[in-house]
Amino acid sequence: MPGGARAALEAVLMVIDEPATAQALAAGLNLTVDVIETLLAELQREYNGYTVNAPDVDDASLNGFSATARGFELRNIAGGWRIYSRAEFAEIVGEFVLEGQTARLTQAALETLAVIAYRQPVSRARVSAIRGVNVDSVVRTLTQRGLIEDSGTDPESGAILYRTTSYFLERMGIGSVAELPQLSPHLPGLEGIEEFYDAGRM
């Protein structure tokens, strides 16, 4: 194949619609995980134009790699690898591709998603208690969008528990929920909020 394993890997990364692990890529291309991880690192550096490792720019040029960052990048998100357009071009890409084609989440859906993200695993009744409104229809919408999923049942109440999905992590651009921003610095005077919620847990 022209370009060898490196080009084959790049071709696969260009068409996958969700992050793929190094193990999955290795199995699909019949290569070892070590080789795939090395190739992924090389592609990531090339797409970044060696902007992170400035001393390597000259070497990159000598090896035929561009020293200018591309309009896309290779990210390791939600446990896997995928090519994305750069965040700096989000507005341009949005106007060109997404205008009028994607339905935005409502404010109610965003608030419900935030509660689930920070309190997961959590039941619908618990989310309703926190938000003060019924969230059944919103939870169905978030489930249909692939942003949350069933996480088993509460051992005491038997209620279905919900958690965020890998697709949620992908859309947020983070590797795990531990990377979500901390809320406490933005909520002065609510130091005891965790104890308050836990006392009335459903």
Side-chain angles (χ1 to χ4, degrees), residues 10 27 59 69 91 101 111 199:
E10 190 171 37
D59 292 337
E91 185 175 348
Q101 297 185 26
E111 291 174 3

Side-chain angles (χ1 to χ4, degrees), residues 6-79:
R6 188 170 179 275
L9 173 60
E10 190 171 37
V12 171
L13 290 169
M14 292 295 290
V15 298
I16 57 177
D17 58 5
E18 60 183 22
T21 64
Q23 290 77 8
L25 292 168
L29 294 169
N30 197 27
L31 297 168
T32 67
V33 173
D34 287 344
V35 168
I36 288 294
E37 290 179 340
T38 298
L39 293 174
L40 287 168
E42 288 180 2
L43 289 173
Q44 187 176 51
R45 292 175 65 207
E46 177 184 346
Y47 298 161
N48 287 340
Y50 285 78
T51 53
V52 175
N53 300 308
D56 293 328
V57 171
D58 291 336
D59 292 337
S61 299
L62 292 175
N63 287 315
F65 298 141
S66 170
T68 302
R70 306 284 186 85
F72 53 88
E73 61 186 339
L74 181 58
R75 300 184 203 163
N76 184 0
I77 289 178

Side-chain angles (χ1 to χ4, degrees), residues 160-180:
I160 296 175
L161 300 175
Y162 292 90
R163 66 185 176 195
T164 52
T165 63
S166 59
Y167 178 64
F168 166 80
L169 297 178
E170 181 186 347
R171 299 299 296 175
M172 290 293 293
I174 57 179
S176 72
V177 291
E179 295 178 33
L180 287 171

Side-chain angles (χ1 to χ4, degrees), residues 119 126 190-201:
R119 300 291 298 177
R126 183 76 182 125
L190 296 181
E191 293 82 0
I193 193 68
E194 290 294 328
E195 291 77 6
F196 172 77
Y197 280 149
D198 289 337
R201 184 160 188 153

